[in-house]
Amino acid sequence: AELCANAALRRNHLDHRVALVACSLPDLTESLGGFLSGTSRANVISDRRREASGAKLAFVFSGQGSQWHGMGRELLREEPVFRESLERCEHLLRRHADWSLIEQLAADEQRTRLGEIDVLQPTLFALQVALAALWRSWGVEPDAVVGHSMGEAAAAYVAGALTLEDATAVICARSRLLKRLSGRGGMAVVGLCVEEAERLLAGKERELSIAASNSPTATVVSGDTAALADLVAG
């Protein structure tokens, strides 16, 4: 860690670059030796420094589905800025919820409530806010932000359009409203453009509809679960 920090912060930035992916000091030493001897390795990338392209930086706040069990624990344990931001979110979430953000992040898979949408979405929101705070503490400032679905609440806060208090209220209200609809239908991603998906749904409009066009080759269809199962099977 000290070697990498010194290389990044305490050395002149010269014209040549080499980046290595390593899991241990012996691994790093071996990779450096291979680079010096001219041996090609997949975990070693080298290039020359290029002039700044003028490209700008965006923070993208994703929607639901980016979660996994154990997320945020290492940062919570090792990064004070991250933890402080989560604790601020915890304090504000307590005004709207009967559960603890920190406890849910630490819970084992048998006790976690992250399968409940009105717990999961505020938790993801808080993690997004804390990650943005951590990046900013390192001097990484976005030129723009964008949020997808529930990520819009975190994006609005980071952009300065909402206070943290208001953004927290929005995500809690949003997740509670969605919980009322939970179990009434489903969604499926089909590998089609939106026009192809619309043709596929012709005659099924009472049961199914286009929910989102995520890309030229990915469209989300929502509606009756049995009809969705038939569509996917077909």
Side-chain angles (χ1 to χ4, degrees):
E2 291 180 359
L3 175 65
C4 292
N6 274 288
L9 303 173
R10 304 295 184 216
R11 298 289 184 270
N12 289 338
H13 289 271
L14 304 177
D15 288 337
H16 293 271
R17 295 284 187 273
V18 59
L20 306 96
V21 180
C23 298
S24 64
L25 187 57
D27 191 14
L28 178 63
T29 303
E30 183 182 353
S31 296
L32 282 170
F35 171 73
L36 292 173
S37 67
T39 304
S40 176
R41 292 170 180 263
N43 66 324
V44 180
I45 302 170
S46 62
D47 205 344
R48 289 181 61 89
R49 183 172 61 161
R50 300 169 185 172
E51 294 299 323
S53 64
K56 295 184 177 182
L57 176 70
F59 283 1
V60 180
F61 298 88
S62 65
Q64 185 176 330
S66 55
Q67 70 274 9
W68 69 93
H69 184 254
M71 59 186 176
R73 290 181 182 176
E74 185 176 354
L75 291 173
L76 187 61
R77 184 173 61 251
E78 298 184 3
E79 295 291 346
V81 171
F82 185 85
R83 183 177 187 89
E84 180 183 358
S85 182
L86 280 187
E87 288 173 344
R88 286 184 63 207
C89 291
E90 162 109 48
H91 174 72
L92 294 171
L93 285 170
R94 284 290 200 172
R95 301 179 183 180
H96 309 278
D98 62 353
W99 48 272
S100 164
L101 169 65
I102 305 298
E103 288 178 3
Q104 287 305 313
L105 289 173
D108 58 37
E109 291 191 78
Q110 288 70 42
R111 296 186 302 109
T112 183
R113 294 178 60 188
L114 291 180
E116 303 171 27
I117 193 170
D118 56 335
V119 177
L120 174 61
Q121 290 200 354
T123 299
L124 289 176
F125 160 83
L127 286 170
Q128 291 174 346
V129 166
L131 284 168
L134 185 59
W135 279 109
R136 283 176 151 171
S137 75
W138 292 336
V140 181
E141 285 287 344
D143 296 291
V145 300
V146 60
H148 169 65
S149 187
M150 57 144 285
E152 292 177 347
Y157 164 68
V158 173
L162 292 177
T163 65
L164 185 58
E165 182 177 4
D166 287 343
T168 302
V170 167
I171 196 64
C172 288
R174 183 188 196 277
S175 61
R176 284 196 304 269
L177 290 170
L178 285 172
K179 188 173 184 178
R180 296 180 188 177
L181 302 175
S182 181
R184 297 189 184 184
M187 294 190 297
V189 178
V190 294
L192 302 172
C193 69
V194 66
E195 292 80 12
E196 292 170 330
E198 287 172 344
R199 289 194 289 272
L200 184 66
L201 298 186
K204 305 181 181 69
E205 292 85 355
R206 290 178 63 86
E207 295 85 21
L208 301 172
S209 61
I210 303 295
S213 175
N214 285 349
S215 78
T217 57
T219 301
V220 181
V221 178
S222 66
D224 178 76
T225 52
L228 274 175
D230 290 341
L231 180 75
V232 172

